[in-house]
Amino acid sequence: TENTIAQPVGTTLERYIMRKQAEFQFATGELSQLLRDIALAGKIVNREVNRAGLTSIIGSMGQQNVQGEAQQRLDVEANIRFIRALTNGGEACAVLSEEEDDIIHTGNCQGKYVVAIDPLDGSSNIDVNISIGTIFSIYRRVSAVGQPAGPEDFLQGGRTQVAAGYILYGSSTMLVYTTGHGVAGFTYENSLGEFFLSHPDIRIPATGTVFSCNEGYWFDYPEYVRSYLTECKRQGQSGRYVGSLVADYHRNLLTGGIYLYPPTRKNPEGKLRLLYEGFPLAYLIEQAGGRAETGTGPVLDVEPTDFHQRSPLFVGSPELVARLLAGAAEAEVNP
Ligand code: P6P
């Protein structure tokens, strides 16, 4: 963030993007427009999320939501909204979504970018009114402009992302993203329909006293994970696990802490998806001074081969991730 011009808290997302674009004189505005399109879809999904209970009541009575459309599950609805916003925005030539097996071609063959997205992660939390989130990852395409995108556009590797972030639909709705020059957070004001800069330069604390992990899988976990968690408890650290990735990740980003989703018997590669969970969250945490590891190396160095491949994820404060990995290295030497 050394070369960025500090912008005042309270500036709008729109003004922030414009100033950032001006700062990078080669920016031609497509990425700026793409970020606007994502923010727009986020506003629409925010409204749906906030009315989820209501629309499902209306839906269950009239089998239709307030737009007169068939009542959709919210994650299906969010998927439609993001793909529609990215298609109408014109900058993304294709989208890879958690909700779709294959690439969605938007028809914008002149578009220079592709977007991998989890439109609404943790949707099982919606019906019990727990915070949920959208996670997105943006690449500059490598296939020829004018042609439809190909798998190679999405399998370039985590370190080629040009932007990544998430929208957290929580007690307030926040958009947090990076374009490779630090991490900024915007808080949504419903009454104005605007995102306002609330966290100009997010840096994760070097250490922390929070661990986020589903201990129900305790007996599946590698020994080094169990010994790390046992040490956390010996130190009286706090276990905080919402069971909604974006909520757990965001809290740890601000307070310090570590989120762990290790391999389990059910998911030997880990449960979380690499292209639209691991990579964007790893890129963002490194931009915020944190670390994201798989247990055998940085998440961003994983070679992607499949759109929906999974990966273990240990992400958060650098000193906590380092302590976990020291245990892994120790276990390697003295199995
Ligand atoms: P578990 C939600 O289904 C999700 O993808 C993440 O949001 C969350 O952190 C994780 O899975 C919870 O998984 O196995 O602990 O229920």
Side-chain angles (χ1 to χ4, degrees), residues 37 82-92 95 104-108:
D37 299 336
F82 276 97
I83 291 171
R84 193 180 294 170
L86 291 168
T87 300
N88 296 343
E91 306 304 342
V95 179
I104 304 292
H105 295 283
T106 61
N108 307 320

Side-chain angles (χ1 to χ4, degrees), residues 130-171:
I130 284 175
S131 301
I132 46 186
T134 298
I135 309 170
F136 62 89
S137 167
I138 301 173
Y139 298 88
R140 205 175 175 79
R141 69 186 300 182
V142 291
S143 55
V145 172
Q147 302 300 318
E152 68 277 13
D153 291 314
F154 291 93
L155 300 175
Q156 300 178 50
R159 297 205 183 276
T160 64
Q161 294 174 89
V162 293
Y166 57 85
I167 299 168
L168 173 60
Y169 311 97
S171 47

Side-chain angles (χ1 to χ4, degrees), residues 16 26 139 154 162 175 181 231-232 245:
Y16 181 90
F26 303 116
Y139 298 88
F154 291 93
V162 293
L175 166 65
H181 305 282
E231 181 56 24
C232 288
L245 173 58

Side-chain angles (χ1 to χ4, degrees), residues 118 121-125 213-214 217 221 241-246 248 259 261 266-267 271-272 277:
D118 189 350
D121 174 76
S123 49
S124 57
N125 295 301
C213 187
N214 183 337
Y217 303 125
Y221 290 156
Y241 194 67
V242 181
S244 186
L245 173 58
V246 177
D248 281 315
Y259 174 98
Y261 208 108
K266 189 174 153 192
N267 289 301
K271 174 184 182 183
L272 302 177
E277 290 176 323

Side-chain angles (χ1 to χ4, degrees), residues 90-102:
E91 306 304 342
C93 63
V95 179
L96 173 66
S97 168
E98 194 264 351
E99 296 285 334
E100 311 273 354
D101 288 343
D102 210 341

Side-chain angles (χ1 to χ4, degrees), residues 15-30:
R15 195 181 301 279
Y16 181 90
I17 289 175
M18 272 193 317
R19 285 197 184 133
K20 278 286 174 188
Q21 183 181 316
E23 243 180 271
F24 303 102
Q25 65 276 21
F26 303 116
T28 54
E30 285 108 334

Side-chain angles (χ1 to χ4, degrees), residues 106-305:
T106 61
N108 307 320
C109 287
Q110 296 304 321
K112 294 180 184 157
Y113 296 96
V114 296
V115 180
I117 191 164
D118 189 350
L120 210 50
D121 174 76
S123 49
S124 57
N125 295 301
I126 294 169
D127 301 339
V128 291
N129 201 20
I130 284 175
S131 301
I132 46 186
T134 298
I135 309 170
F136 62 89
S137 167
I138 301 173
Y139 298 88
R140 205 175 175 79
R141 69 186 300 182
V142 291
S143 55
V145 172
Q147 302 300 318
E152 68 277 13
D153 291 314
F154 291 93
L155 300 175
Q156 300 178 50
R159 297 205 183 276
T160 64
Q161 294 174 89
V162 293
Y166 57 85
I167 299 168
L168 173 60
Y169 311 97
S171 47
S172 65
T173 291
M174 279 194 72
L175 166 65
V176 177
Y177 77 88
T178 181
T179 56
H181 305 282
V183 177
F186 299 80
T187 299
Y188 188 58
E189 173 46 64
N190 276 292
S191 64
L192 299 175
E194 281 281 6
F195 281 104
F196 290 93
L197 182 66
S198 51
H199 300 70
D201 180 17
I202 301 180
R203 309 283 296 165
I204 188 168
T207 189
T209 57
V210 168
F211 59 93
S212 306
C213 187
N214 183 337
E215 296 190 53
Y217 303 125
W218 179 267
F219 295 103
D220 289 8
Y221 290 156
E223 183 48 40
Y224 76 89
V225 170
R226 289 203 293 242
S227 56
Y228 177 81
L229 293 172
T230 303
E231 181 56 24
C232 288
K233 296 173 188 178
R234 196 174 290 125
Q235 293 174 11
Q237 296 195 17
S238 300
R240 290 281 185 277
Y241 194 67
V242 181
S244 186
L245 173 58
V246 177
D248 281 315
Y249 177 97
H250 181 74
R251 179 209 46 249
N252 293 354
L253 175 65
L254 296 187
T255 65
I258 182 172
Y259 174 98
L260 306 90
Y261 208 108
T264 62
R265 264 175 297 185
K266 189 174 153 192
N267 289 301
E269 289 304 310
K271 174 184 182 183
L272 302 177
R273 307 283 184 174
L274 182 64
L275 287 186
Y276 38 80
E277 290 176 323
F279 275 169
L281 295 181
Y283 178 36
L284 200 141
I285 208 82
E286 289 197 1
Q287 283 288 313
R291 284 185 71 173
E293 296 278 336
T294 65
T296 54
V299 170
L300 288 178
D301 292 343
V302 173
E303 192 71 33
T305 54

